[in-house]
Amino acid sequence: MSEKTTDKSELKVSKIKNGTVIDHIAAGTALLVLEMLGITGREGTKVTLSLNVQSKKKTKKDIVKVENRILDKKEINQISLISPRATINEIKNFTVVNKFKVELPEEVHGFPKCINPKCITNAREPPKHSYFVKSSDPLKIRCKYCNTNMNKQDIVKMLLKYQGLTK
Ligand SMILES: [Zn+2]
């Protein structure tokens, strides 16, 4: 048995009929992506996870295949925050009908929670989070209301916290 996975064989092994394949996820972050999408496995959604797969460039990546689900813009933006090089493939009838790279927006709205506990956005109901994306590598966003900077670690932490509160 060969461990070798070319893109071709990979697709063959786990082709999905309809849904979304999120490729080139930063290695080790696929579980975070699932968590952000609110996929716990309890909804009955069929999900295939590949962690730390060797990519063509000899680097490692994660892949997530979600059946019967097309991601909305907000979900794609969230993915771009933790995995700016991810690629989204929309699948219909076993065929890729739409393929694009996630794009880190210039501004992020609605998530995550601000890491500053005294920030006014954390006191409002509903919360109104808003950030400028200051840099993508390393990732840095700045709260529009209290000017607190958040790095990737902060963002991941607060994204998960936020999901926990809303889902
Ligand atoms: Zn703030």
Side-chain angles (χ1 to χ4, degrees), residues 112-129:
K113 271 171 79 82
C114 181
I115 199 153
N116 170 12
K118 291 190 178 132
C119 178
I120 181 136
T121 61
N122 285 327
R124 280 186 192 160
E125 256 330 307
K128 220 182 158 189
H129 309 293

Side-chain angles (χ1 to χ4, degrees), residues 5 24-27 52-62 85:
T5 49
H24 299 285
I25 300 171
N52 296 310
V53 181
Q54 198 92 17
S55 79
K56 268 189 268 180
K57 289 170 196 151
K58 299 267 177 212
T59 53
K60 284 181 177 168
K61 64 173 182 178
D62 291 355
R85 283 179 198 86

Side-chain angles (χ1 to χ4, degrees), residues 97-161:
V97 290
N98 200 1
K99 180 175 181 162
F100 54 91
K101 287 187 168 148
V102 300
E103 241 175 89
L104 198 58
E106 283 176 22
E107 294 183 10
V108 177
H109 303 284
F111 57 86
K113 271 171 79 82
C114 181
I115 199 153
N116 170 12
K118 291 190 178 132
C119 178
I120 181 136
T121 61
N122 285 327
R124 280 186 192 160
E125 256 330 307
K128 220 182 158 189
H129 309 293
S130 223
Y131 304 86
F132 295 114
V133 176
K134 301 303 282 182
S135 88
S136 58
D137 196 15
L139 184 59
K140 193 167 105 182
I141 63 175
R142 176 174 295 159
C143 177
K144 279 193 191 179
Y145 296 90
C146 71
N147 290 323
T148 299
N149 287 321
M150 289 167 66
N151 63 24
K152 192 163 177 171
Q153 242 179 335
D154 300 327
I155 293 166
V156 167
K157 191 171 136 195
M158 298 317 279
L159 270 174
L160 294 181
K161 223 174 182 175

Side-chain angles (χ1 to χ4, degrees), residues 22 30-45 47 64 66 69 71 75 78-79 159-160 162-164 166-167:
I22 312 165
L31 291 170
L32 277 174
V33 169
L34 281 186
E35 206 147 342
M36 286 195 315
L37 298 177
I39 295 171
T40 63
R42 290 191 293 271
E43 323 68 27
T45 313
V47 178
V64 170
V66 188
R69 176 146 172 199
L71 305 179
E75 292 173 319
Q78 284 185 328
I79 291 170
L159 270 174
L160 294 181
Y162 177 78
Q163 297 295 358
T166 54
K167 297 245 171 180

